[in-house]
Structure formats: structure tokens, C-alpha cells
Amino acid sequence: MKQDAGPSYRRKEPFVLNDHHKRVIAGAVAKIDPKQIAILRKLTVAQRVQQAASMIRAAEQVGVYRLRQRESKLSEQEAYYVIRSGTLLSREIKKRAI
């Protein structure tokens, strides 16, 4: 059975961390508060999933709000579609490549 190559956005080459990536990761790790980690470790898996879903919802809401500021003709549903699918992002990337 032939295996599907998958979506076209998959990398053909392995991702390699360069010095910039390492600095960004080190900076992010330095900002982690040990007290927050202690609290997170006490949460159940369900509570962690609920927290992650809440953060995703908040990020989507911000994205929709900002997109509708730029593109006022979009309905809320259309803006959610664009944010969730990344269609606007892919169009912007294609524009920049030209």
C-alpha cells in the first residue's frame, strides 16, 4: 500500500536549530517561573487540557478581533475560518515570495 506523502507544508529537510533558535528558546526558558511549574504539576491531565483549550480560544479571539480591524467586511464566522485555517497567512507568504 502506497503511503500518502502528506500535506505540502511538511519539510523536505529536517529542521535544524541554529544559534538564533537556541537564543530564543533559552530566553523563553529563563522567563519560566518555578512557582508556575509547581502549580502546573499539581493539575490533572483534564485540567491541563482545559487550560490549553482556554489559551487557544483566547488566541483565536484576539486573531479574529485584529483581523476584523484590518478587514472590516469579514463576518465573525469568516474571520474565525481565516484564523483557524491560516488562509490569510498563506496568502501573505505567497505575496512576499513574489
Side-chain angles (χ1 to χ4, degrees), residues 38-56:
I39 292 168
L40 284 173
R41 286 192 174 139
K42 293 178 183 176
L43 297 178
T44 66
V45 173
Q47 289 170 322
R48 281 186 252 157
V49 169
Q50 185 178 17
Q51 189 177 40
S54 176
M55 289 188 285
I56 291 168

Side-chain angles (χ1 to χ4, degrees), residues 7 11 19-20 23-24 31 39 41 45 48 57 68 72 75 90 93 97:
R11 292 183 175 273
D19 288 337
H20 171 73
R23 284 193 304 273
V24 169
K31 292 178 183 177
I39 292 168
R41 286 192 174 139
V45 173
R48 281 186 252 157
R57 254 190 319 276
R68 290 187 77 203
S72 58
S75 70
S90 64
I93 291 169

Side-chain angles (χ1 to χ4, degrees), residues 20-35:
H20 171 73
H21 296 124
K22 291 176 184 175
R23 284 193 304 273
V24 169
I25 292 169
V29 169
K31 292 178 183 177
I32 295 174
D33 184 353
K35 292 177 186 174

